[in-house]
Amino acid sequence: MMNRQIHWSSPDPFLEVLDIQEEPSSITFIVRSTHESCPCPHCQVPSTRPHSRYTRMIQDLPIAGKAVSILLITRKWFCDQPNCTQKIFTERYDWISKNGRRTLRSEEVLRKIAFSTSCLNGEKVAKALSLPVSHDVLLSLIRKTEIHQEVSPFYRNR
C-alpha cells in the first residue's frame, strides 16, 4: 500500500476495515461485518448464532480516479425459531441490492448514465469514470428500473 491516507465513506457503521490494497488503477477495501446478531428475513426474529463466513466482492464509487472494490467478509446465520421455514440465511445489507454486486450509490450513478445516453456510449463513460461495467449491465439497470406512467416520456394521456 502506498504511504498516503485514503478517505472512504463507509456505507455501514458496522463495517470494520481490515486492510486497504492500493494498486495503480484500483483500491480494494477488505472489510468485515461486526454485527452481533441479524434478523431472519423470513420471520424477522434476530439470530445470535452464526453459521459460517463467506466473501462478496462489491463495486463502489471511485476515489481519486481509481476503481473501488469492497471485499466484504460477511456471515450466514442459523434461524432457531421452530416455526420458521428458513433454517440458514445470509446477512442482509440495505446499501447493497439483494443479489447485487454494487453498492446502491454506485448503481444509481450507473442508472443515470444508462438513461442519459446509449448503453454502448454509457459503457465508455462509466469506464472513464473508473466505474467499469458492460453495456449489458446498463441495459439490465434500465430494465429493472420502475418507471411510473405519469413521469414517463412515452406515456400519453388518452
Side-chain angles (χ1 to χ4, degrees):
M1 189 171 97
M2 295 179 181
N3 289 332
R4 71 175 193 180
Q5 224 174 4
I6 296 173
H7 298 284
W8 176 62
S9 173
S10 174
D12 190 325
F14 291 98
L15 292 181
E16 175 186 12
V17 177
L18 301 175
D19 192 23
I20 301 172
Q21 298 175 349
E22 188 174 3
E23 301 293 328
S25 63
S26 66
I27 301 170
T28 302
F29 291 88
I30 301 172
V31 299
R32 176 179 63 181
S33 170
T34 59
H35 286 118
E36 296 296 323
S37 66
C38 187
C40 172
H42 188 262
C43 69
Q44 302 304 315
V45 176
S47 172
T48 56
R49 194 163 70 106
H51 174 274
S52 59
R53 290 191 185 271
Y54 71 101
T55 60
R56 292 177 71 178
M57 188 61 83
I58 312 294
Q59 183 183 36
D60 198 11
L61 292 175
I63 296 175
K66 293 185 178 196
V68 172
S69 299
I70 303 168
L71 179 64
L72 175 62
I73 302 168
T74 187
R75 295 182 190 162
K76 291 185 180 184
W77 300 82
F78 287 105
C79 182
D80 294 325
Q81 296 302 306
N83 56 349
C84 184
T85 58
Q86 190 81 41
K87 299 301 175 198
I88 299 171
F89 62 93
T90 60
E91 210 165 340
R92 303 286 198 262
Y93 299 94
D94 60 359
W95 50 278
I96 305 173
S97 57
K98 186 176 178 182
N99 294 314
R101 299 190 186 280
R102 283 173 215 54
T103 60
L104 293 177
R105 60 191 184 186
S106 65
E107 195 168 279
E108 185 58 31
V109 169
L110 291 171
R111 184 175 286 109
K112 287 178 181 176
I113 292 170
F115 275 98
S116 65
T117 185
S118 74
C119 289
L120 291 172
N121 286 335
E123 178 180 4
K124 294 172 188 172
V125 170
K127 183 178 180 184
L129 293 173
S130 300
L131 200 57
V133 293
S134 71
H135 64 278
D136 289 330
V137 168
L138 295 173
L139 282 172
S140 175
L141 284 172
I142 289 172
R143 285 188 196 108
K144 74 178 191 179
T145 301
E146 185 178 322
I147 301 175
H148 301 286
Q149 283 186 338
E150 62 272 7
V151 295
S152 172
F154 306 108
Y155 177 72
R156 289 188 301 177
N157 214 355
R158 295 179 193 210

